[in-house]
Structures are given as C-alpha cells and as structure tokens.
Amino acid sequence: MNPSHLNPSSSLKSRFTTRFLRALTKINAQKPISSSPREIFQRYRRIKVAADKSMAYSVRSRRTWSRAMVWKLRSRSCRRKLACSGLRRSSSSSSVKTCPIMKKTCHAKENKTTTGDEHEDCEFVREADELREIVPGGEAMDLCNLLDETAHYIKCLTTQVQVMRNIVDFYNLSE
C-alpha cells in the first residue's frame, strides 16, 4: 500500500521539498554570498520566489491559487527579461490589457440608520475582500470557492513552513 494514500499531504510535502531543495541548490551555485544589503535582499527574493514557485508547481494546476501564482511568476519573469533586453514597451503601447476587477462595496447612506444586520453584512463583505487580496487569484472567486481555496492555501503555507524549519534544523545540527 502506498503511504501517500494514507496522508495526502505527505506527497505534497515531498514534491515541494524536492523542488525547493533543487531551487536552493541552483541559488547557492550562482555566486558566492556577499554581505552587502543589496545582495542579501536579492538572495532573499530569489529564495522567496523559489519557495512560491516550488509550492505552486507541487500543487500543479488543480487549484486556482496555484494557477494564479504560476501566472504571476511567469509574467514577472517575462517583464524582467524584457527590461533586461531593452525591449520594454511603454505602458501606452502595451499589448496586454488589464481589466479592473469589480469588488463588492458597502456604502451606508448618511441619513439612513443602519441596522445591526446590515453592519454585519458590510463587515463580512469587507473581510471577504481582504481575503481576496491575500489569496492568489482570489479576486475572481466567489465566496464559497474563496473559502475552499483559502483553506488549501493555508495548508500549503503550513507545509512550506514545516519544510523550511526542517531544512534550518538540519543545517543547524550539521554545524
């Protein structure tokens, strides 16, 4: 019997660990560590992107948040390549069009007294909008899917933290 069937998160954890360690190996092989603040920040960003990318690819395209994260990372990479090659277009001639996403908002009329239920509904909508900003791809989700994706995203972030802690503990023991 395959142990990953007993604990489905173990396969996610192993896929993430494999991808993340491979990415860390590439980062470490690039050049020696410098102590300048700029180099430290660039290294931090590379590790953060490696962690996000590893998690998104480990989940594969089964989840909306992972697809949104992969798209964001790919588009950021394409923009960086265009900027480095000097081919970056001006914002007015860009062929990529962005559409503003409509969000639900609550406006209480100034002369109207709001009931407790209306205030709670308004607060709930604000909290849902805040959640939409945190979860990758959440802007386009209805509330039910948003809550489901949020639960899975939290589970994956927890896995990411566990793996990173294990890596740090391993290297602290080897010193």
Side-chain angles (χ1 to χ4, degrees), residues 46-66:
R46 284 194 294 265
I47 292 170
K48 183 181 182 326
V49 167
D52 289 346
K53 196 175 198 179
S54 298
M55 185 54 70
Y57 280 115
S58 296
V59 172
R60 300 187 181 118
S61 62
R62 284 181 254 155
R63 292 296 186 156
T64 304
W65 71 261
S66 66

Side-chain angles (χ1 to χ4, degrees), residues 150-169:
T150 301
H152 190 267
Y153 186 56
I154 290 171
K155 176 183 142 192
C156 289
L157 290 175
T158 304
T159 300
Q160 194 178 57
V161 169
Q162 289 172 349
V163 168
M164 290 177 160
R165 280 187 179 153
N166 289 339
I167 291 169
V168 168
D169 290 344

Side-chain angles (χ1 to χ4, degrees), residues 27-28 31 33 39-47:
I27 290 169
N28 283 334
K31 59 182 173 179
I33 300 170
E39 290 282 330
I40 291 171
F41 180 74
Q42 286 176 342
R43 187 174 183 81
Y44 155 78
R45 291 295 304 161
R46 284 194 294 265
I47 292 170

Side-chain angles (χ1 to χ4, degrees), residues 43-158:
R43 187 174 183 81
Y44 155 78
R45 291 295 304 161
R46 284 194 294 265
I47 292 170
K48 183 181 182 326
V49 167
D52 289 346
K53 196 175 198 179
S54 298
M55 185 54 70
Y57 280 115
S58 296
V59 172
R60 300 187 181 118
S61 62
R62 284 181 254 155
R63 292 296 186 156
T64 304
W65 71 261
S66 66
R67 290 190 300 269
M69 188 176 284
V70 168
W71 181 82
K72 180 181 174 183
L73 291 168
R74 283 182 181 164
S75 63
R76 184 180 294 162
S77 174
C78 289
R79 284 193 309 266
R80 193 177 313 115
K81 286 177 185 176
L82 284 174
C84 290
S85 67
L87 298 175
R88 188 159 192 159
R89 299 177 195 170
S90 67
S91 59
S92 61
S93 65
S94 177
S95 62
V96 178
K97 305 223 186 261
T98 59
C99 298
I101 295 174
M102 300 300 290
K103 290 188 176 182
K104 297 176 186 173
T105 58
C106 289
H107 298 287
K109 291 185 180 180
E110 294 171 7
N111 58 1
K112 180 183 172 189
T113 306
T114 59
T115 65
D117 290 340
E118 290 172 346
H119 179 69
E120 287 175 11
D121 289 345
C122 187
E123 187 66 29
F124 183 75
V125 169
R126 270 192 229 116
E127 289 173 356
D129 285 344
E130 288 175 11
L131 196 56
R132 282 186 176 92
E133 292 175 12
I134 295 170
V135 177
E139 303 90 8
M141 292 181 211
D142 64 19
L143 185 60
C144 189
N145 285 334
L146 177 66
L147 295 174
D148 183 49
E149 291 288 322
T150 301
H152 190 267
Y153 186 56
I154 290 171
K155 176 183 142 192
C156 289
L157 290 175
T158 304

